[in-house]
Amino acid sequence: MIHHNLFLIGDVHGCYHTFRELLGHWRPQEELLVQTGDLVDRGRFGPECVQLALELEQQYPGRTVFLRGNHEHEMLKHFGPTGPNPAWLGWGGRATVQQYQGRPDLLQQHLSWLRQRPFTWENDYVLVSHAGFADTEAPLDAENMDGVLWRRGPLRNVGRRQVVGHTPTATGAPTFEAAANALYIDTGACFGRNLSALRLSFTGDLLGEVLIPTSLLDIVLT
């Protein structure tokens, strides 16, 4: 079995042009792409980011993994049987709803794809999730996804290297928390900082990083 290196991308949040530029650094023949979720909301191009991810999955079967983030999770609630979801609308969803306006077929296609997104990717050495495995009894409890979708704060040391997004780093660069052996790779693209990727070996060794400054085409300046 061939063990490929990993190309791990943080939260995109609708930053389509920045996402495309970062993908130019991915080596599909050598690396498995794993993205930590939150493709949508806040930036100007949520639907385009989802479409690009969907097309990459089709173009490179078995070479990409796009995880579910809390923003996709709440988006699915909004458009699901329990919707609407006012909380989601208030922290990024309203822009996403507007971006899908007049595109009902695209919305349904994307919702179907987003429902299939896994919460984690892992091997014997690396565990990737949106927010990380926290000190909760059951991080993957379907009734309470706090441990992998929402947690901000200390993560548990799970005996493997964790890679997470969700909590933007203050520096605009990936950070490492030694106690939990955790790498944080949401580097605030939607806030005008950077969209980042880390290269890891199959066994979790850091091989390099790529930081792409957010394109001003992608964000609304405030």
Side-chain angles (χ1 to χ4, degrees), residues 2-221:
I2 299 174
H3 296 313
H4 293 284
N5 291 337
L6 306 174
F7 190 76
L8 299 145
I9 299 177
D11 300 25
V12 174
H13 280 304
C15 295
Y16 172 74
H17 298 86
T18 314
F19 188 27
R20 281 185 60 106
E21 184 176 349
L22 180 62
L23 287 167
H25 294 266
W26 174 42
R27 305 162 185 161
Q29 303 310 314
E30 305 171 16
E31 299 169 331
L32 174 70
L33 187 158
V34 185
Q35 194 271 330
T36 59
D38 283 4
L39 290 168
V40 300
D41 295 350
R42 297 186 172 156
R44 289 176 167 159
F45 300 102
E48 288 75 13
C49 289
V50 175
Q51 184 64 26
L52 178 54
L54 190 158
E55 290 174 358
L56 287 172
E57 184 180 73
Q58 294 172 342
Q59 185 178 355
Y60 299 100
R63 309 306 295 271
T64 68
V65 180
F66 292 93
L67 300 181
R68 184 185 298 200
N70 61 316
H71 284 256
E72 284 89 12
H73 194 67
E74 297 301 315
M75 177 182 175
L76 289 167
K77 285 183 184 178
H78 179 80
F79 290 108
T82 60
N85 186 346
W88 173 68
L89 292 173
W91 40 262
R94 190 167 287 107
T96 299
V97 170
Q98 292 170 350
Q99 289 161 14
Y100 278 104
Q101 202 158 19
R103 307 159 89 176
D105 293 342
L106 186 68
L107 174 62
Q108 292 308 313
Q109 179 191 14
H110 287 181
L111 291 173
S112 176
W113 185 78
L114 291 171
R115 288 187 197 101
Q116 301 171 49
R117 296 309 93 210
F119 290 101
T120 63
W121 179 88
E122 59 187 300
N123 65 19
D124 291 339
Y125 308 95
V126 181
L127 173 62
V128 189
S129 66
H130 180 62
F133 274 50
D135 292 325
T136 56
E137 292 184 8
L140 290 174
D141 180 354
E143 299 302 315
N144 177 14
M145 300 302 297
D146 178 63
V148 293
L149 287 181
W150 287 100
R151 182 62 174 236
R152 297 194 197 276
L155 301 178
R156 68 167 73 173
N157 191 317
V158 296
R160 290 178 282 176
R161 171 151 288 176
Q162 286 202 69
V163 182
V164 302
H166 185 58
T167 300
T169 65
T171 62
T175 62
F176 178 64
E177 181 192 340
N181 190 15
L183 288 159
Y184 288 82
I185 62 171
D186 177 359
T187 51
C190 65
F191 303 121
R193 298 174 195 157
N194 298 299
L195 181 62
S196 296
L198 292 183
R199 288 192 162 93
L200 264 62
S201 71
F202 180 84
T203 54
D205 295 318
L206 182 62
L207 303 176
E209 65 180 30
V210 182
L211 274 66
I212 303 297
T214 308
S215 169
L216 295 180
L217 297 172
D218 288 331
I219 55 175
V220 179
L221 295 175

